[in-house]
Amino acid sequence: MSKRSSGGGWVFAVIAVVLIAFAAWFLVQRARKADQARPAPVAAATAPVPAPASTAPVIAHPIEQAQTAPAAASTAPLPALGDSDASVLQGLAALAPGSDVGSWLVHQSIIPRIVATVDAMPRQDLSPFILPVRPAKGSLKTQGANGQKVIDAANAARYAPYVKAMQAVDSQALVDWYVHSYPLFQQAYRELGYPHAYFNDRLIAVIDHLLAAPEPTGPLAVVPYKEGFAYADPSLQSLSIGQRTMVRIGAENEAAVKAKLRDLRARLVGSGLRKEAAAPAAATTTH
């Protein structure tokens, strides 16, 4: 993790929009200071997986299954992916009235950046060049405790504006926007290097991965690492970039983000979630 927090709020649009675009604005902070390599194209930011023998994807969570509000369904035609930045920016700003979304977002290739960031969250590291939001100001706050350096409890306050913005976003409106815009997300995922995969399945898997992040109690010890810090506990440092960030934002913030992710996930899987939840309940009554 870097001394200067470059991701302080940004994956907010990513897990919530990305979580469909908003709940993750602060979830993907760098675990260490980015190297000085030249930016790689967004489409080349992550290594594609080999195509399966069959070109027909097995879809676990079809977008049609998402719980949408019929009255709010948009019939407006979608722009081409390459021309979508203005409408995406407008749509996200409408989802978070009162927040400064326009200044947070990188205004080029917004959907491809969101898709690439979501896809990278379960990995160990993430290229800062694919991020959909600009770095947040401020530095990681630490203090001494029992001969160790620990993350200061006050550090969590740096994320408060982003958590507040996330909580203000209407989950149903966000899902409605995502469902309407889904063809653009799917196209960006194909162009990222997954021509036979389904982005909504990847999104659900990433949400589940973030929900599985540990919830440690007490101060988190850190040690110097390159130009920043690393968790002193190897089990925490070995987590994915997404889970390390969930831990880093503090217990209260992590709980708020997870609550939003659960809400979004339930709406995304629609009736499928209700069926899955009903199955165990029915099983417990069987003798």
Side-chain angles (χ1 to χ4, degrees), residues 219-287:
L220 295 173
V222 294
V223 294
Y225 180 73
K226 295 190 175 181
E227 297 181 61
F229 298 100
Y231 291 117
D233 183 342
S235 68
L236 294 180
Q237 188 59 28
S238 65
L239 295 173
S240 68
I241 179 65
Q243 291 188 344
R244 286 201 306 271
T245 303
M246 289 287 279
V247 171
R248 176 183 176 180
I249 61 179
E252 186 175 343
N253 288 332
E254 181 177 0
V257 173
K258 285 186 173 181
K260 190 69 167 183
L261 294 183
R262 290 188 185 98
D263 184 21
L264 289 167
R265 187 193 191 282
R267 296 171 191 273
L268 283 172
V269 302
S271 60
L273 181 64
R274 289 191 289 273
K275 290 177 181 177
E276 292 167 10
T284 59
T285 61
T286 300
H287 298 287

Short mmCIF file of all heavy atoms in Angstrom, two decimals, residues 219-287:
data_model
loop_
_atom_site.label_atom_id
_atom_site.label_comp_id
_atom_site.label_asym_id
_atom_site.label_seq_id
_atom_site.Cartn_x
_atom_site.Cartn_y
_atom_site.Cartn_z
N PRO A 219 -5.96 -2.84 15.79
CA PRO A 219 -5.07 -2.12 14.88
C PRO A 219 -4.38 -3.07 13.89
O PRO A 219 -4.06 -4.21 14.24
CB PRO A 219 -4.05 -1.48 15.82
CG PRO A 219 -4.71 -1.46 17.16
CD PRO A 219 -5.57 -2.68 17.20
N LEU A 220 -4.15 -2.59 12.69
CA LEU A 220 -3.49 -3.37 11.65
C LEU A 220 -2.03 -2.94 11.55
O LEU A 220 -1.73 -1.79 11.19
CB LEU A 220 -4.19 -3.18 10.30
CG LEU A 220 -5.63 -3.69 10.22
CD1 LEU A 220 -6.26 -3.28 8.89
CD2 LEU A 220 -5.67 -5.20 10.38
N ALA A 221 -1.12 -3.83 11.88
CA ALA A 221 0.31 -3.52 11.83
C ALA A 221 0.80 -3.51 10.40
O ALA A 221 0.38 -4.32 9.57
CB ALA A 221 1.09 -4.54 12.65
N VAL A 222 1.68 -2.56 10.09
CA VAL A 222 2.27 -2.46 8.77
C VAL A 222 3.79 -2.37 8.90
O VAL A 222 4.32 -2.00 9.95
CB VAL A 222 1.74 -1.23 7.99
CG1 VAL A 222 0.25 -1.38 7.69
CG2 VAL A 222 1.97 0.07 8.77
N VAL A 223 4.48 -2.71 7.83
CA VAL A 223 5.93 -2.64 7.79
C VAL A 223 6.34 -1.92 6.51
O VAL A 223 5.60 -1.92 5.53
CB VAL A 223 6.55 -4.06 7.81
CG1 VAL A 223 6.26 -4.75 9.13
CG2 VAL A 223 6.03 -4.90 6.64
N PRO A 224 7.50 -1.26 6.52
CA PRO A 224 7.96 -0.58 5.30
C PRO A 224 8.09 -1.56 4.15
O PRO A 224 8.55 -2.70 4.32
CB PRO A 224 9.33 -0.02 5.71
CG PRO A 224 9.26 0.09 7.20
CD PRO A 224 8.44 -1.08 7.64
N TYR A 225 7.65 -1.13 2.99
CA TYR A 225 7.74 -1.99 1.80
C TYR A 225 7.93 -1.09 0.59
O TYR A 225 7.05 -0.30 0.26
CB TYR A 225 6.47 -2.81 1.65
CG TYR A 225 6.47 -3.73 0.44
CD1 TYR A 225 7.26 -4.87 0.42
CD2 TYR A 225 5.71 -3.42 -0.68
CE1 TYR A 225 7.26 -5.71 -0.68
CE2 TYR A 225 5.72 -4.24 -1.79
CZ TYR A 225 6.48 -5.39 -1.80
OH TYR A 225 6.50 -6.21 -2.89
N LYS A 226 9.11 -1.21 -0.02
CA LYS A 226 9.45 -0.35 -1.16
C LYS A 226 9.22 1.11 -0.77
O LYS A 226 9.78 1.59 0.20
CB LYS A 226 8.68 -0.78 -2.39
CG LYS A 226 9.06 -2.18 -2.86
CD LYS A 226 8.48 -2.52 -4.22
CE LYS A 226 9.01 -3.88 -4.69
NZ LYS A 226 8.49 -4.24 -6.03
N GLU A 227 8.33 1.81 -1.50
CA GLU A 227 8.10 3.22 -1.19
C GLU A 227 6.84 3.42 -0.37
O GLU A 227 6.33 4.53 -0.26
CB GLU A 227 8.03 4.02 -2.49
CG GLU A 227 9.31 3.99 -3.28
CD GLU A 227 9.21 4.82 -4.55
OE1 GLU A 227 8.98 6.03 -4.44
OE2 GLU A 227 9.36 4.25 -5.64
N GLY A 228 6.33 2.36 0.21
CA GLY A 228 5.12 2.46 0.99
C GLY A 228 5.13 1.49 2.15
O GLY A 228 6.13 1.32 2.84
N PHE A 229 3.99 0.81 2.34
CA PHE A 229 3.85 -0.12 3.44
C PHE A 229 3.20 -1.41 2.96
O PHE A 229 2.52 -1.44 1.93
CB PHE A 229 2.96 0.47 4.56
CG PHE A 229 3.51 1.70 5.19
CD1 PHE A 229 3.06 2.96 4.84
CD2 PHE A 229 4.49 1.61 6.18
CE1 PHE A 229 3.55 4.10 5.43
CE2 PHE A 229 4.98 2.74 6.79
CZ PHE A 229 4.52 3.99 6.41
N ALA A 230 3.41 -2.46 3.74
CA ALA A 230 2.72 -3.72 3.52
C ALA A 230 2.18 -4.16 4.87
O ALA A 230 2.67 -3.75 5.92
CB ALA A 230 3.68 -4.78 2.97
N TYR A 231 1.14 -4.99 4.86
CA TYR A 231 0.64 -5.54 6.11
C TYR A 231 1.72 -6.42 6.74
O TYR A 231 2.36 -7.22 6.05
CB TYR A 231 -0.62 -6.37 5.88
CG TYR A 231 -1.83 -5.56 5.47
CD1 TYR A 231 -2.44 -5.74 4.23
CD2 TYR A 231 -2.39 -4.62 6.35
CE1 TYR A 231 -3.55 -5.01 3.86
CE2 TYR A 231 -3.50 -3.88 5.98
CZ TYR A 231 -4.07 -4.06 4.74
OH TYR A 231 -5.18 -3.34 4.37
N ALA A 232 1.88 -6.30 8.04
CA ALA A 232 2.85 -7.15 8.74
C ALA A 232 2.37 -8.60 8.79
O ALA A 232 3.19 -9.52 8.81
CB ALA A 232 3.08 -6.62 10.16
N ASP A 233 1.09 -8.80 8.79
CA ASP A 233 0.51 -10.14 8.83
C ASP A 233 0.54 -10.73 7.41
O ASP A 233 -0.16 -10.23 6.52
CB ASP A 233 -0.94 -10.07 9.33
CG ASP A 233 -1.59 -11.44 9.47
OD1 ASP A 233 -1.08 -12.41 8.89
OD2 ASP A 233 -2.64 -11.52 10.14
N PRO A 234 1.32 -11.77 7.17
CA PRO A 234 1.40 -12.34 5.82
C PRO A 234 0.06 -12.79 5.27
O PRO A 234 -0.17 -12.73 4.06
CB PRO A 234 2.35 -13.53 5.99
CG PRO A 234 3.14 -13.22 7.22
CD PRO A 234 2.20 -12.48 8.12
N SER A 235 -0.85 -13.22 6.14
CA SER A 235 -2.15 -13.68 5.65
C SER A 235 -2.97 -12.53 5.08
O SER A 235 -3.80 -12.73 4.19
CB SER A 235 -2.93 -14.38 6.77
OG SER A 235 -3.32 -13.47 7.79
N LEU A 236 -2.75 -11.32 5.58
CA LEU A 236 -3.43 -10.15 5.03
C LEU A 236 -2.73 -9.66 3.77
O LEU A 236 -3.38 -9.30 2.78
CB LEU A 236 -3.49 -9.02 6.07
CG LEU A 236 -4.32 -9.28 7.33
CD1 LEU A 236 -4.28 -8.06 8.25
CD2 LEU A 236 -5.77 -9.62 6.97
N GLN A 237 -1.41 -9.64 3.79
CA GLN A 237 -0.67 -9.14 2.63
C GLN A 237 -0.87 -10.06 1.42
O GLN A 237 -0.76 -9.62 0.27
CB GLN A 237 0.82 -9.01 2.96
CG GLN A 237 1.63 -8.33 1.88
CD GLN A 237 1.15 -6.93 1.56
OE1 GLN A 237 0.58 -6.25 2.41
NE2 GLN A 237 1.37 -6.48 0.33
N SER A 238 -1.18 -11.33 1.65
CA SER A 238 -1.36 -12.26 0.54
C SER A 238 -2.76 -12.20 -0.06
O SER A 238 -3.04 -12.89 -1.04
CB SER A 238 -1.07 -13.70 1.01
OG SER A 238 -2.02 -14.12 1.99
N LEU A 239 -3.63 -11.38 0.52
CA LEU A 239 -4.98 -11.23 -0.03
C LEU A 239 -4.92 -10.54 -1.39
O LEU A 239 -3.91 -9.94 -1.77
CB LEU A 239 -5.85 -10.41 0.92
CG LEU A 239 -6.15 -11.00 2.29
CD1 LEU A 239 -6.87 -9.94 3.15
CD2 LEU A 239 -6.99 -12.26 2.17
N SER A 240 -6.01 -10.61 -2.11
CA SER A 240 -6.11 -9.92 -3.39
C SER A 240 -6.12 -8.41 -3.15
O SER A 240 -6.33 -7.93 -2.04
CB SER A 240 -7.40 -10.31 -4.11
OG SER A 240 -8.52 -9.79 -3.39
N ILE A 241 -5.92 -7.65 -4.23
CA ILE A 241 -5.94 -6.19 -4.12
C ILE A 241 -7.30 -5.71 -3.62
O ILE A 241 -7.40 -4.80 -2.81
CB ILE A 241 -5.58 -5.53 -5.47
CG1 ILE A 241 -5.61 -4.00 -5.36
CG2 ILE A 241 -6.49 -5.99 -6.58
CD1 ILE A 241 -4.58 -3.42 -4.45
N GLY A 242 -8.38 -6.36 -4.07
CA GLY A 242 -9.71 -5.97 -3.62
C GLY A 242 -9.94 -6.23 -2.15
O GLY A 242 -10.44 -5.37 -1.42
N GLN A 243 -9.55 -7.41 -1.67
CA GLN A 243 -9.75 -7.74 -0.27
C GLN A 243 -8.81 -6.96 0.64
O GLN A 243 -9.18 -6.57 1.75
CB GLN A 243 -9.59 -9.24 -0.05
CG GLN A 243 -10.73 -10.06 -0.67
CD GLN A 243 -10.67 -11.52 -0.27
OE1 GLN A 243 -9.64 -12.01 0.21
NE2 GLN A 243 -11.75 -12.24 -0.51
N ARG A 244 -7.57 -6.71 0.20
CA ARG A 244 -6.66 -5.89 1.02
C ARG A 244 -7.23 -4.50 1.23
O ARG A 244 -7.12 -3.92 2.32
CB ARG A 244 -5.28 -5.77 0.34
CG ARG A 244 -4.43 -7.01 0.42
CD ARG A 244 -2.95 -6.70 0.21
NE ARG A 244 -2.66 -5.97 -1.00
CZ ARG A 244 -2.40 -6.52 -2.20
NH1 ARG A 244 -2.44 -7.85 -2.34
NH2 ARG A 244 -2.11 -5.79 -3.24
N THR A 245 -7.85 -3.96 0.20
CA THR A 245 -8.41 -2.63 0.32
C THR A 245 -9.63 -2.63 1.22
O THR A 245 -9.84 -1.70 2.00
CB THR A 245 -8.77 -2.08 -1.07
OG1 THR A 245 -7.59 -2.09 -1.88
CG2 THR A 245 -9.28 -0.66 -0.98
N MET A 246 -10.46 -3.66 1.13
CA MET A 246 -11.62 -3.77 2.02
C MET A 246 -11.17 -3.73 3.47
O MET A 246 -11.78 -3.07 4.32
CB MET A 246 -12.38 -5.06 1.73
CG MET A 246 -13.11 -5.09 0.41
SD MET A 246 -14.59 -4.05 0.40
CE MET A 246 -15.76 -5.14 1.22
N VAL A 247 -10.09 -4.43 3.77
CA VAL A 247 -9.55 -4.46 5.14
C VAL A 247 -9.01 -3.09 5.52
O VAL A 247 -9.20 -2.61 6.64
CB VAL A 247 -8.46 -5.53 5.26
CG1 VAL A 247 -7.73 -5.43 6.60
CG2 VAL A 247 -9.06 -6.93 5.09
N ARG A 248 -8.36 -2.46 4.59
CA ARG A 248 -7.66 -1.20 4.87
C ARG A 248 -8.60 -0.05 5.22
O ARG A 248 -8.23 0.85 5.99
CB ARG A 248 -6.83 -0.82 3.65
CG ARG A 248 -6.12 0.52 3.78
CD ARG A 248 -5.37 0.87 2.51
NE ARG A 248 -4.78 2.18 2.59
CZ ARG A 248 -4.07 2.72 1.62
NH1 ARG A 248 -3.88 2.05 0.51
NH2 ARG A 248 -3.57 3.92 1.75
N ILE A 249 -9.82 -0.03 4.68
CA ILE A 249 -10.68 1.13 4.86
C ILE A 249 -11.30 1.22 6.25
O ILE A 249 -11.94 2.20 6.59
CB ILE A 249 -11.79 1.17 3.80
CG1 ILE A 249 -12.68 -0.07 3.89
CG2 ILE A 249 -11.18 1.31 2.41
CD1 ILE A 249 -13.82 -0.07 2.88
N GLY A 250 -11.09 0.20 7.07
CA GLY A 250 -11.61 0.24 8.43
C GLY A 250 -12.88 -0.58 8.57
O GLY A 250 -13.66 -0.71 7.63
N ALA A 251 -13.09 -1.11 9.78
CA ALA A 251 -14.19 -2.04 10.01
C ALA A 251 -15.56 -1.42 9.71
O ALA A 251 -16.42 -2.06 9.09
CB ALA A 251 -14.14 -2.53 11.45
N GLU A 252 -15.77 -0.20 10.13
CA GLU A 252 -17.08 0.43 9.92
C GLU A 252 -17.35 0.66 8.44
O GLU A 252 -18.45 0.39 7.94
CB GLU A 252 -17.16 1.75 10.70
CG GLU A 252 -18.54 2.39 10.65
CD GLU A 252 -18.63 3.63 11.53
OE1 GLU A 252 -17.76 3.79 12.42
OE2 GLU A 252 -19.58 4.42 11.35
N ASN A 253 -16.36 1.15 7.73
CA ASN A 253 -16.51 1.38 6.30
C ASN A 253 -16.68 0.06 5.55
O ASN A 253 -17.49 -0.04 4.62
CB ASN A 253 -15.30 2.13 5.74
CG ASN A 253 -15.27 3.58 6.18
OD1 ASN A 253 -16.30 4.19 6.44
ND2 ASN A 253 -14.07 4.14 6.27
N GLU A 254 -15.92 -0.95 5.95
CA GLU A 254 -16.03 -2.26 5.30
C GLU A 254 -17.44 -2.81 5.47
O GLU A 254 -18.03 -3.36 4.53
CB GLU A 254 -15.01 -3.24 5.87
CG GLU A 254 -15.06 -4.61 5.21
CD GLU A 254 -14.01 -5.57 5.71
OE1 GLU A 254 -13.21 -5.19 6.58
OE2 GLU A 254 -13.99 -6.73 5.23
N ALA A 255 -18.01 -2.66 6.66
CA ALA A 255 -19.36 -3.15 6.90
C ALA A 255 -20.37 -2.42 6.03
O ALA A 255 -21.31 -3.03 5.48
CB ALA A 255 -19.73 -2.98 8.38
N ALA A 256 -20.19 -1.11 5.85
CA ALA A 256 -21.11 -0.33 5.02
C ALA A 256 -21.02 -0.74 3.56
O ALA A 256 -22.03 -0.87 2.86
CB ALA A 256 -20.81 1.16 5.18
N VAL A 257 -19.79 -0.95 3.09
CA VAL A 257 -19.61 -1.35 1.69
C VAL A 257 -20.21 -2.73 1.47
O VAL A 257 -20.90 -2.98 0.47
CB VAL A 257 -18.12 -1.35 1.32
CG1 VAL A 257 -17.92 -1.93 -0.07
CG2 VAL A 257 -17.57 0.07 1.37
N LYS A 258 -19.97 -3.65 2.38
CA LYS A 258 -20.51 -5.00 2.22
C LYS A 258 -22.04 -4.98 2.23
O LYS A 258 -22.67 -5.74 1.48
CB LYS A 258 -19.97 -5.92 3.31
CG LYS A 258 -18.52 -6.33 3.09
CD LYS A 258 -18.07 -7.35 4.12
CE LYS A 258 -16.68 -7.89 3.81
NZ LYS A 258 -16.24 -8.91 4.79
N ALA A 259 -22.62 -4.12 3.05
CA ALA A 259 -24.09 -4.03 3.08
C ALA A 259 -24.61 -3.57 1.72
O ALA A 259 -25.61 -4.09 1.20
CB ALA A 259 -24.54 -3.07 4.17
N LYS A 260 -23.92 -2.62 1.10
CA LYS A 260 -24.33 -2.13 -0.21
C LYS A 260 -24.14 -3.21 -1.26
O LYS A 260 -25.01 -3.41 -2.14
CB LYS A 260 -23.51 -0.89 -0.58
CG LYS A 260 -24.02 -0.16 -1.82
CD LYS A 260 -25.34 0.50 -1.54
CE LYS A 260 -25.73 1.48 -2.63
NZ LYS A 260 -27.00 2.19 -2.33
N LEU A 261 -23.04 -3.91 -1.19
CA LEU A 261 -22.78 -4.97 -2.16
C LEU A 261 -23.82 -6.08 -2.07
O LEU A 261 -24.26 -6.62 -3.09
CB LEU A 261 -21.38 -5.55 -1.96
CG LEU A 261 -20.20 -4.61 -2.23
CD1 LEU A 261 -18.89 -5.36 -2.06
CD2 LEU A 261 -20.31 -4.01 -3.61
N ARG A 262 -24.22 -6.44 -0.86
CA ARG A 262 -25.24 -7.48 -0.70
C ARG A 262 -26.56 -7.03 -1.32
O ARG A 262 -27.26 -7.82 -1.97
CB ARG A 262 -25.43 -7.82 0.78
CG ARG A 262 -24.25 -8.56 1.41
CD ARG A 262 -24.58 -9.04 2.82
NE ARG A 262 -23.40 -9.63 3.44
CZ ARG A 262 -22.60 -8.99 4.29
NH1 ARG A 262 -22.87 -7.73 4.64
NH2 ARG A 262 -21.54 -9.59 4.81
N ASP A 263 -26.90 -5.77 -1.10
CA ASP A 263 -28.13 -5.23 -1.66
C ASP A 263 -28.08 -5.26 -3.19
O ASP A 263 -29.03 -5.71 -3.85
CB ASP A 263 -28.32 -3.80 -1.15
CG ASP A 263 -29.63 -3.18 -1.61
OD1 ASP A 263 -30.57 -3.93 -1.98
OD2 ASP A 263 -29.75 -1.94 -1.60
N LEU A 264 -26.97 -4.81 -3.74
CA LEU A 264 -26.82 -4.80 -5.20
C LEU A 264 -26.83 -6.21 -5.76
O LEU A 264 -27.45 -6.48 -6.79
CB LEU A 264 -25.53 -4.08 -5.58
CG LEU A 264 -25.54 -2.57 -5.35
CD1 LEU A 264 -24.13 -2.00 -5.46
CD2 LEU A 264 -26.46 -1.88 -6.34
N ARG A 265 -26.16 -7.12 -5.09
CA ARG A 265 -26.11 -8.50 -5.58
C ARG A 265 -27.51 -9.11 -5.61
O ARG A 265 -27.88 -9.78 -6.58
CB ARG A 265 -25.21 -9.36 -4.68
CG ARG A 265 -24.99 -10.77 -5.24
CD ARG A 265 -24.37 -11.71 -4.23
NE ARG A 265 -23.92 -12.95 -4.84
CZ ARG A 265 -24.72 -13.95 -5.17
NH1 ARG A 265 -26.04 -13.85 -4.98
NH2 ARG A 265 -24.23 -15.04 -5.73
N ALA A 266 -28.28 -8.86 -4.56
CA ALA A 266 -29.63 -9.42 -4.51
C ALA A 266 -30.47 -8.91 -5.68
O ALA A 266 -31.25 -9.66 -6.28
CB ALA A 266 -30.28 -9.05 -3.18
N ARG A 267 -30.32 -7.65 -6.02
CA ARG A 267 -31.08 -7.09 -7.13
C ARG A 267 -30.57 -7.59 -8.47
O ARG A 267 -31.33 -7.76 -9.42
CB ARG A 267 -31.02 -5.55 -7.07
CG ARG A 267 -31.68 -4.97 -5.83
CD ARG A 267 -31.42 -3.48 -5.69
NE ARG A 267 -31.81 -2.98 -4.39
CZ ARG A 267 -33.04 -2.56 -4.08
NH1 ARG A 267 -33.99 -2.57 -5.01
NH2 ARG A 267 -33.33 -2.13 -2.86
N LEU A 268 -29.28 -7.83 -8.55
CA LEU A 268 -28.69 -8.30 -9.81
C LEU A 268 -29.09 -9.72 -10.15
O LEU A 268 -29.27 -10.06 -11.32
CB LEU A 268 -27.16 -8.20 -9.74
CG LEU A 268 -26.58 -6.80 -9.92
CD1 LEU A 268 -25.09 -6.82 -9.64
CD2 LEU A 268 -26.85 -6.29 -11.33
N VAL A 269 -29.18 -10.57 -9.15
CA VAL A 269 -29.52 -11.96 -9.44
C VAL A 269 -31.03 -12.19 -9.40
O VAL A 269 -31.51 -13.25 -9.80
CB VAL A 269 -28.82 -12.93 -8.48
CG1 VAL A 269 -27.31 -12.77 -8.56
CG2 VAL A 269 -29.28 -12.73 -7.05
N GLY A 270 -31.79 -11.20 -8.92
CA GLY A 270 -33.24 -11.26 -8.99
C GLY A 270 -33.82 -12.51 -8.37
O GLY A 270 -33.45 -12.93 -7.28
N SER A 271 -34.72 -13.15 -9.11
CA SER A 271 -35.42 -14.32 -8.59
C SER A 271 -34.47 -15.47 -8.31
O SER A 271 -34.74 -16.34 -7.49
CB SER A 271 -36.50 -14.78 -9.57
OG SER A 271 -35.93 -15.13 -10.82
N GLY A 272 -33.32 -15.49 -9.01
CA GLY A 272 -32.36 -16.56 -8.79
C GLY A 272 -31.88 -16.60 -7.36
O GLY A 272 -31.71 -17.66 -6.78
N LEU A 273 -31.68 -15.41 -6.75
CA LEU A 273 -31.21 -15.37 -5.37
C LEU A 273 -32.29 -15.89 -4.43
O LEU A 273 -32.02 -16.61 -3.49
CB LEU A 273 -30.84 -13.93 -4.99
CG LEU A 273 -30.31 -13.75 -3.57
CD1 LEU A 273 -29.00 -14.49 -3.39
CD2 LEU A 273 -30.13 -12.28 -3.24
N ARG A 274 -33.54 -15.52 -4.71
CA ARG A 274 -34.62 -15.98 -3.84
C ARG A 274 -34.75 -17.49 -3.88
O ARG A 274 -34.98 -18.15 -2.88
CB ARG A 274 -35.93 -15.30 -4.26
CG ARG A 274 -35.97 -13.81 -3.92
CD ARG A 274 -37.36 -13.24 -4.10
NE ARG A 274 -37.73 -13.16 -5.50
CZ ARG A 274 -37.44 -12.13 -6.26
NH1 ARG A 274 -36.76 -11.11 -5.77
NH2 ARG A 274 -37.82 -12.09 -7.52
N LYS A 275 -34.55 -18.08 -5.08
CA LYS A 275 -34.62 -19.53 -5.19
C LYS A 275 -33.47 -20.19 -4.43
O LYS A 275 -33.63 -21.18 -3.75
CB LYS A 275 -34.58 -19.95 -6.66
CG LYS A 275 -35.85 -19.57 -7.43
CD LYS A 275 -35.72 -19.93 -8.89
CE LYS A 275 -36.95 -19.54 -9.69
NZ LYS A 275 -36.80 -19.82 -11.13
N GLU A 276 -32.27 -19.59 -4.55
CA GLU A 276 -31.10 -20.15 -3.86
C GLU A 276 -31.29 -20.07 -2.34
O GLU A 276 -30.91 -20.97 -1.61
CB GLU A 276 -29.85 -19.38 -4.27
CG GLU A 276 -29.46 -19.59 -5.74
CD GLU A 276 -28.42 -18.59 -6.19
OE1 GLU A 276 -27.89 -17.88 -5.34
OE2 GLU A 276 -28.16 -18.53 -7.40
N ALA A 277 -31.89 -18.97 -1.88
CA ALA A 277 -32.07 -18.78 -0.45
C ALA A 277 -33.14 -19.73 0.07
O ALA A 277 -33.09 -20.20 1.21
CB ALA A 277 -32.46 -17.35 -0.15
N ALA A 278 -34.13 -20.03 -0.77
CA ALA A 278 -35.22 -20.88 -0.32
C ALA A 278 -34.80 -22.34 -0.20
O ALA A 278 -35.30 -23.07 0.63
CB ALA A 278 -36.40 -20.75 -1.27
N ALA A 279 -33.86 -22.75 -1.03
CA ALA A 279 -33.47 -24.16 -1.05
C ALA A 279 -32.92 -24.64 0.30
O ALA A 279 -33.40 -25.64 0.82
CB ALA A 279 -32.45 -24.39 -2.16
N PRO A 280 -31.96 -23.94 0.92
CA PRO A 280 -31.47 -24.40 2.22
C PRO A 280 -32.55 -24.40 3.28
O PRO A 280 -32.63 -25.29 4.12
CB PRO A 280 -30.37 -23.39 2.55
CG PRO A 280 -29.96 -22.83 1.23
CD PRO A 280 -31.22 -22.81 0.41
N ALA A 281 -33.44 -23.38 3.21
CA ALA A 281 -34.49 -23.30 4.22
C ALA A 281 -35.40 -24.50 4.12
O ALA A 281 -35.82 -25.11 5.12
CB ALA A 281 -35.29 -22.01 4.02
N ALA A 282 -35.74 -24.89 2.89
CA ALA A 282 -36.61 -26.04 2.70
C ALA A 282 -35.92 -27.32 3.18
O ALA A 282 -36.53 -28.20 3.75
CB ALA A 282 -36.99 -26.16 1.23
N ALA A 283 -34.60 -27.36 2.96
CA ALA A 283 -33.86 -28.56 3.33
C ALA A 283 -33.86 -28.80 4.83
O ALA A 283 -33.87 -29.91 5.31
CB ALA A 283 -32.42 -28.46 2.81
N THR A 284 -33.89 -27.71 5.59
CA THR A 284 -33.81 -27.85 7.04
C THR A 284 -35.09 -28.43 7.63
O THR A 284 -35.09 -28.94 8.75
CB THR A 284 -33.54 -26.50 7.71
OG1 THR A 284 -34.61 -25.59 7.36
CG2 THR A 284 -32.23 -25.92 7.24
N THR A 285 -36.19 -28.39 6.85
CA THR A 285 -37.44 -28.94 7.37
C THR A 285 -37.63 -30.39 6.98
O THR A 285 -38.61 -31.01 7.31
CB THR A 285 -38.62 -28.11 6.85
OG1 THR A 285 -38.64 -28.19 5.42
CG2 THR A 285 -38.48 -26.65 7.26
N THR A 286 -36.69 -30.91 6.21
CA THR A 286 -36.80 -32.30 5.75
C THR A 286 -36.20 -33.24 6.79
O THR A 286 -35.11 -33.01 7.30
CB THR A 286 -36.05 -32.47 4.42
OG1 THR A 286 -36.63 -31.61 3.48
CG2 THR A 286 -36.18 -33.90 3.92
N HIS A 287 -36.91 -34.30 7.09
CA HIS A 287 -36.42 -35.26 8.09
C HIS A 287 -36.24 -36.62 7.44
O HIS A 287 -36.94 -36.95 6.52
CB HIS A 287 -37.43 -35.37 9.25
CG HIS A 287 -37.64 -34.09 9.98
ND1 HIS A 287 -36.72 -33.54 10.85
CD2 HIS A 287 -38.68 -33.19 9.92
CE1 HIS A 287 -37.17 -32.40 11.33
NE2 HIS A 287 -38.36 -32.16 10.78
#
